[in-house]
Amino acid sequence: MDALRDWFSDLAPRERLLVSAAAVLLVLAIVVLGAVRPLNSKAARNAEIVADREALLAELDEVAARLGPQRGGGNPVAASGGQSLVLIVDRTTRGRGLAEFLTRNQPDGDNKIRLRFERAPFDTLIEWLVELQVRHGLSAQSANIDKAPDRGRVNCNLVLTRGG
């Protein structure tokens, strides 16, 4: 460190000014590369996440518009033979390949069931919900769907009810 100080003090005043300016620019470049750039890349990642969620929402809107209202047209409860919700959910999730993603299956009375899916394929989950509504008269009372780390997969909490 002493050698560096000696070298700096041996420089002409104009050279000292240039070396000092270069040092300030170097510190500034380190700050930009070390702090500002990671913040910009984080903002870009966040913008990508927002775009993905907007695309997911647009896809949900498209599915909802395509399906339209699903009431009427026969008696779906009679088609399910008055089976328990646990049995209907078990049979239909196995049929759709969703059983491996179902981590919670908790009945709440005779006409309500709480479910938790983790890393379930989004499209298959939506098709399954449509099947439950059309064939078995079950509807989602509440749904919380979050994007899972894998592309096209979601984590989902559902409360399904029979007859409305």
Side-chain angles (χ1 to χ4, degrees):
M1 197 67 164
D2 289 333
L4 189 60
R5 265 192 224 127
D6 291 341
W7 171 79
F8 187 75
S9 63
D10 288 342
L11 293 175
R14 193 179 257 177
E15 291 173 334
R16 272 190 244 149
L17 180 64
L18 285 174
V19 170
S20 297
V24 167
L25 287 175
L26 179 64
V27 168
L28 188 61
I30 290 171
V31 167
V32 167
L33 292 175
V36 175
R37 244 177 140 193
L39 290 176
N40 282 342
S41 65
K42 178 77 171 166
R45 278 194 304 270
N46 287 341
E48 186 177 309
I49 289 170
V50 167
D52 285 347
R53 291 202 176 164
E54 286 174 346
L56 181 63
L57 182 59
E59 191 174 328
L60 283 172
D61 287 342
E62 180 184 318
V63 169
R66 192 172 57 228
L67 295 176
Q70 296 293 311
R71 303 213 188 271
N75 186 352
V77 176
S80 66
Q83 298 173 350
S84 75
L85 295 178
V86 173
L87 184 60
I88 293 170
V89 167
D90 182 62
R91 191 179 72 247
T92 57
T93 54
R94 288 178 193 274
R96 291 276 180 177
L98 289 170
E100 66 183 285
F101 306 106
L102 183 61
T103 59
R104 186 177 72 172
N105 181 344
Q106 178 183 0
D108 188 2
D110 291 337
N111 293 320
K112 190 186 287 186
I113 190 166
R114 298 176 187 281
L115 305 170
R116 169 77 179 165
F117 291 91
E118 292 187 10
R119 294 185 147 167
F122 174 75
D123 293 339
T124 307
L125 187 66
I126 296 301
E127 291 168 359
W128 174 74
L129 285 171
V130 170
E131 175 188 350
L132 288 179
Q133 186 172 21
V134 171
R135 292 191 181 160
H136 303 285
L138 301 180
S139 58
Q141 181 181 23
S142 67
N144 182 6
I145 301 174
D146 296 312
K147 182 179 173 184
D150 305 326
R151 187 164 184 81
R153 305 274 177 159
V154 294
N155 297 325
C156 179
N157 290 310
L158 287 170
V159 177
L160 300 176
T161 59
R162 184 188 334 243

